[in-house]
Amino acid sequence: MIANVKSSGYPSAASSLSSVRSLAPIRFPSLPRTVRFDGSGTSRRLQVLAMAVKRSPKRLKYSAPRFTKEGSLLYVKAESEEDAWKLEPIVDLLKEGAVGVIPTDTVYAIVCDLKNPSAIERMRRIKNIEPSKPLSILCHSFRDIDKYTTGFPCGDGQGHSNIFRMVKHCLPGPYTFILTASKELPKQYIGYGTTTAKHASRKNVGVRIPDDAICQAVLEKMDAPLISTSVKCLKENEWLLDPVVIADIYGKEGLDFVVDGGVRVADPSTVVDMTITPPKLLRQGKGAKLPWMVAEGDDEPPSE
C-alpha cells in the first residue's frame, strides 16, 4: 500500500518531515524598546564638519536600538521607506507641540507643527533665531503650497510663460521657492512678532517639497506643513551633518526628538525668489540652475 502511495505521486511521511525541517525559521520583527543613554563624552562636531565620521562608542550606543531615549530626547533611526513605521511616535510628538530634527533631501532641518504657535516660539528659542528672520515650510504636495501661498506666477503677457509647468519638474526636489504667503499661514509666522507687522503687506515664505522618503512619511501623516529651519552650529555658521552631533548639541537646548537618516553632505537647497519676474536665483545649492532662473549679473533669459 505504501508503494502504491509513492507511485501515485504523494510524498512519504519521512520526506515530508525532512522538508519541514529544511524550512527557514520564521522571524518576527522585535518590538521597539526604550533604553536610557548616559550622555557621556563630548561632541564630535568638528570631526563631522570635516566629514571624518567614525564609529565612536557614542554613535554605537545611539544606533544599536531602534528607539533611544536620552532624558526627554527621543532618538529614532530611520533611513528608508521600510522604517516608516518607526515614525509614529515622532508624528504624535509633533502634533503635541514638539520641536525636533528630521532629514530632508539636502541637510537636516529643525521642524515643528505649523499650526502650533508655542512650538514655533520654542523653535526660535532653541536655535536662537531672531524674530525678524523668516522660516520655511516643508510641504507634502502642491496642495499645501496652494493653501498656504498665493501660488506660482502666471504669464505676465510680456512673453514670460506660466512658471508652474516648469516648477513641476523641480518638485519634489532640492529647491526652496520664495512665494507670497496666503492668509492661511499663521500671523505669528508672517508677522515676525512685531507690532507693526499686522499693518504691513503680506510676507513671503520659502516652500519646499523634499524628495526624501523619511521626510515625506512624516509630512504625509501631519495635518499641515512643518515649519522648518536648517540645522547649523549654534556659534559657527556651518552645517551640522551628523544626527548624533545634532542630538548632543541641541538636546541641551530643549530639542524633543532626532530622526537619524544617516550622515548628510553639506549641500543645501537651491533658493529661488518667485515673487519677481523673471525668477531670481538667490542661492545655488544642490538643485541645478535652470534656464528660466536669473542669477545676479545674468541677462534676462529668453521668453518661451
Side-chain angles (χ1 to χ4, degrees):
M1 181 174 180
I2 296 177
N4 290 335
V5 171
K6 289 183 178 181
S7 62
S8 62
Y10 290 94
S12 66
S15 63
S16 299
L17 180 60
S18 176
S19 299
V20 171
R21 288 176 176 173
S22 64
L23 292 176
I26 300 176
R27 299 182 181 274
F28 295 93
S30 58
L31 295 175
R33 55 193 180 92
T34 300
V35 301
R36 296 193 62 83
F37 175 66
D38 58 15
S40 60
T42 58
S43 170
R44 295 184 298 107
R45 177 181 54 186
L46 297 180
Q47 295 179 9
V48 173
L49 294 175
M51 296 305 296
V53 181
K54 300 179 180 179
R55 292 182 63 81
S56 68
K58 177 170 290 186
R59 171 165 288 281
L60 291 174
K61 286 186 177 181
Y62 265 123
S63 301
R66 290 190 174 94
F67 296 89
T68 303
K69 187 77 170 175
E70 180 188 0
S72 59
L73 176 69
L74 179 65
Y75 193 94
V76 178
K77 188 174 180 62
E79 297 183 338
S80 65
E81 291 185 63
E82 288 73 19
D83 295 330
W85 65 273
K86 303 178 187 178
L87 303 173
E88 293 292 344
I90 300 302
V91 174
D92 292 341
L93 285 174
L94 284 168
K95 291 181 178 180
E96 294 171 2
V99 178
V101 169
I102 64 173
T104 72
D105 54 352
T106 54
V107 295
Y108 277 90
I110 302 177
V111 298
C112 69
D113 188 354
L114 178 147
K115 295 183 177 181
N116 195 310
S118 61
I120 299 175
E121 289 299 325
R122 284 191 59 225
M123 171 188 282
R124 290 189 180 276
R125 290 198 302 269
I126 288 173
K127 196 184 173 184
N128 193 26
I129 302 175
E130 297 179 0
S132 60
K133 186 173 182 179
L135 302 170
S136 297
I137 59 173
L138 300 180
C139 300
H140 175 59
S141 66
F142 281 100
R143 181 177 301 178
D144 290 333
I145 295 179
D146 291 340
K147 181 175 181 179
Y148 293 97
T149 75
T150 58
F152 291 93
C154 297
D156 58 5
Q158 300 178 5
H160 298 106
S161 61
N162 190 326
I163 297 295
F164 177 68
R165 65 183 179 84
M166 292 181 279
V167 169
K168 286 193 298 183
H169 298 291
C170 301
L171 297 177
Y175 290 89
T176 298
F177 291 113
I178 308 299
L179 297 171
T180 302
S182 72
K183 294 182 179 180
E184 295 292 332
L185 201 63
K187 293 181 179 179
Q188 182 194 28
Y189 174 78
I190 62 173
Y192 302 132
T194 61
T195 56
T196 59
K198 59 183 179 181
H199 303 293
S201 60
R202 303 298 297 181
K203 300 293 184 178
N204 298 330
V205 58
V207 298
R208 291 209 61 205
I209 304 182
D211 187 16
D212 180 88
I214 297 302
C215 183
Q216 282 294 329
V218 174
L219 292 169
E220 184 179 10
K221 299 177 184 298
M222 295 298 296
D223 300 325
L226 293 174
I227 296 289
S228 74
T229 179
S230 57
V231 185
K232 290 188 175 183
C233 294
L234 291 173
K235 296 181 180 180
E236 296 87 6
N237 187 31
E238 295 177 337
W239 308 105
L240 286 178
L241 309 172
D242 189 332
V244 171
V245 177
I246 294 172
D248 289 343
I249 295 176
Y250 280 96
K252 302 171 185 176
E253 303 297 324
L255 202 67
D256 297 308
F257 66 84
V258 171
V259 177
D260 181 349
V263 177
R264 299 286 149 140
V265 177
D267 202 359
S269 64
T270 293
V271 181
V272 183
D273 188 351
M274 307 293 288
T275 65
I276 58 178
T277 303
K280 184 177 181 181
L281 183 69
L282 301 182
R283 180 182 71 191
Q284 176 69 65
K286 186 175 181 180
K289 179 181 178 296
L290 300 177
W292 49 271
M293 303 174 184
V294 175
E296 194 71 34
D298 287 353
D299 293 330
E300 183 175 329
S303 59
E304 298 183 5

